[in-house]
Amino acid sequence: MTDIRLLKTTEKRYQILESMNINSLEDIVMHYPYRYDIIEETYPTLEDDKIIIEATIISPAKVFFKGRMSRMSFTVEDHHLQQYQVTIFNRHFLRQHLKMSAVITIIGKCKNDKITASDIKIKPINELVGIHPIYSIKEGMTQKSFVQYVKKALTLLKGNIDSYVPEEYIMKHQLIHKESALYNIHFPETQEDIKQALRYLKYEEFLKFQLTMQFIKRQRHQEVGIAKIFDLKQFQSFILALPFQLTKDQQTAIKEIVEDLQSPQMMYRFLQGDVGSGKTVVSSVALYANYLAGYQGALMAPTEILAAQHYATLSSFFKDTDVKIALLTGSLSVKNKESLYQQIASGEIDIIVGTHALFQKKVNYANLGFVITDEQHRFGVEQRKALKNKGNQVDFLIMSATPIPRTLAISMYGDMDVSTIKTMPTGRIPVITKYIKSSSMKPILKALKDYLQSGGQCYVICPLVEESDAIEAKSASQIATAMKSYFKDSYQVGLLHGQMKDDEKEAVMQSFQKNDLQILVSTTVVEVGVDVKNANMMVIYNAERFGMSQLHQLRGRIGRGDQQAYCYLMSSSTSKEAIERLKYLEKSHDGFEISTYDLQLRGPGEVLGNRQSGLPTFLVADVLKDFNILTIARDDAIKLIDDYDHQKGYQQFISRIQENLKENNEYVD
Ligand code: ADP
Ligand code: MG
């Protein structure tokens, strides 16, 4: 990094630059324009009534003050002798330049013969023609001086700009060089210059990211793991004894996972599939293989409720085997915990299901060989690392119910292998989903009553409140109270929210499961909740506040038996986009399709959550729009990492990646 003081500007300006996150000359040149003003020789009327026009001043400028604000007006005439009344705010200091008969250029909006100017240049248009970069800057900085800083930084850095793209690849993809790319992104002469600059910069961004990913992957593969050997016959008969036949995708996923277990390399795999596609079964089978090989396995869930459900599911799958399985959560009594710790440490317990309690300091495993985490983006990297470090060369599987297109997954989670379950088990009836334009239950009360009358149970999901669990809990309580007073004694209403204690939640969930409660009013804590086969109606308040994948996951809670299920998406939003998204869910029942659509609408950061998912943010590149470049960069990175092994430049290359890794330590696992 090159010292920013070489700019030789004022202390105040250094401070402003710092507040813009600019701390070196490199940072300056990487602060790209966010748009360009393009001024052409002809005076086009641009879209919306925007105008750029050259004209002659024909009346002296008048200034009116109101406090510190000012408004200045004058009249001009263009080359067609058309006259305009020009108004501009807070630029009274320009008045001294607005002499009669001066030819100026006005940029602004025009309505009839009135222009509200956003800028005035005291120059004829031909002196302005060109492409002008516009930067996002903080108060106290001007566009003009920032441009000067960029120019100076580029000059000072000339010949010393580090590129990640080897010459060979510049040639192969017919890219311009980095110095030209940087110069052209700031000071393009033509639109083509911008295009070529972006081609280079996007490619380099992706390449750098992929080199890092592939480097991590390779390092991991070089670490010697354990080749797990187990009795295939016993393994097969476990699968045959399952209460149903596995789908083709489940079989493929199991094959991929088992091959990882058997190989001496450590598994680092991402298993994705829609809610209800049968991931839990796959993880049970995999845990069984690991057990047969003589190792302990751990399955980590993000909530107690889900951990308890996994525990129940696994217990039923393993009931005719010798597998000893235990549930470890924070709410166990101290005494029970102590004795469980003992059994885990002695190896008496084979499979441990639990929450983050699984990786507490006190938990020591006899020989942990396999860790599975469910709903990966809820766990921090640190937590996963802690659990992995509980064993030696532990195989690692992450399950996610926010599926994304496989190609995208491979490129984004470049350091992981990906297994995908796309098809659902047969016999599932899609949930009938309806968008209801309403902020209250009124329009669907009759449907709800009829449904309850027929013996069914219903989830009522409360508005999502990003800022605060407490507000969310409050709105849930209010809705629950209203429903209680409405239904009086005819139906029982339960309440579930994130502010409740774990055992309270557990108790409510159990009552719902037992049909002691017919209506469960809940915040999204139910999102990854339990299977209640008799609950086949769901009402979601303020549905527009949820992400599409989240809504899809929520409705995955119902329709888990053989009954027709109904999901009502209530929203009083008038936003066209919001309504479109909700209507899309009426039509589509495919989690991959839904996440792809949502990704296109809102971008990967919004859909997957940037930090949690370890998803990188890119300066100029866009994972979806520039997907082709991402794929090419990935292939190139794999090849580069392979090639460099045999070449002298390898050391330097690696140290650069390692440096990069330190900067972005969130990808490191
Ligand atoms: P996920 O974990 O992906 O949400 P689960 O493993 O919980 O899905 O499966 C959802 C439901 O489908 C469970 O009740 C499970 O027993 C059932 N199931 C899973 N695989 C199959 C299959 N191949 N055929 C029939 N039912 C299945
Ligand atoms: Mg699941």
Side-chain angles (χ1 to χ4, degrees), residues 81-92:
L81 304 181
Q82 160 85 40
Q83 293 189 0
Y84 298 91
Q85 175 79 26
V86 181
T87 304
I88 186 162
F89 293 94
N90 304 325
R91 299 284 179 89
H92 51 272

Side-chain angles (χ1 to χ4, degrees), residues 262-375:
Q262 290 169 324
S263 111
Q265 287 177 357
M266 274 156 53
M267 179 194 319
Y268 197 65
R269 187 169 285 281
F270 183 67
L271 170 64
Q272 55 167 357
D274 230 332
V275 223
S277 63
K279 296 182 297 295
T280 314
V281 187
V282 170
S283 67
S284 311
V285 172
L287 283 166
Y288 189 63
N290 177 68
Y291 157 78
L292 289 177
Y295 292 90
Q296 285 176 309
L299 174 60
M300 180 156 82
T303 63
E304 294 230 349
I305 294 173
L306 190 63
Q309 167 162 317
H310 279 330
Y311 173 71
T313 309
L314 263 58
S315 299
S316 82
F317 287 142
F318 290 128
K319 69 177 185 300
D320 297 326
T321 67
D322 294 332
V323 175
K324 285 224 180 52
I325 171 168
L327 176 66
L328 175 58
T329 60
S331 61
L332 276 185
S333 73
V334 176
K335 208 174 132 206
N336 285 341
K337 254 188 219 158
E338 294 295 335
S339 96
L340 197 51
Y341 291 159
Q342 268 243 297
Q343 290 172 294
I344 294 170
S346 69
E348 229 171 293
I349 306 272
D350 304 306
I351 294 174
I352 303 100
V353 182
T355 54
H356 53 277
L358 288 181
F359 57 80
Q360 236 92 91
K361 264 217 183 72
K362 286 188 178 164
V363 192
N364 291 304
Y365 294 81
N367 60 346
L368 184 64
F370 189 17
V371 169
I372 304 180
T373 68
D374 195 1
E375 314 294 341

Side-chain angles (χ1 to χ4, degrees), residues 145 179 319 541 551 641:
S145 31
E179 263 184 31
K319 69 177 185 300
Y541 274 90
L551 288 171
I641 293 267

Side-chain angles (χ1 to χ4, degrees), residues 431-434 451 536-539 558-559 564-568:
V431 176
I432 293 178
T433 304
K434 284 213 168 89
Y451 175 70
N536 284 308
M537 185 172 284
M538 179 175 280
V539 181
I558 55 174
Q564 177 61 60
Y566 300 87
C567 176
Y568 297 104

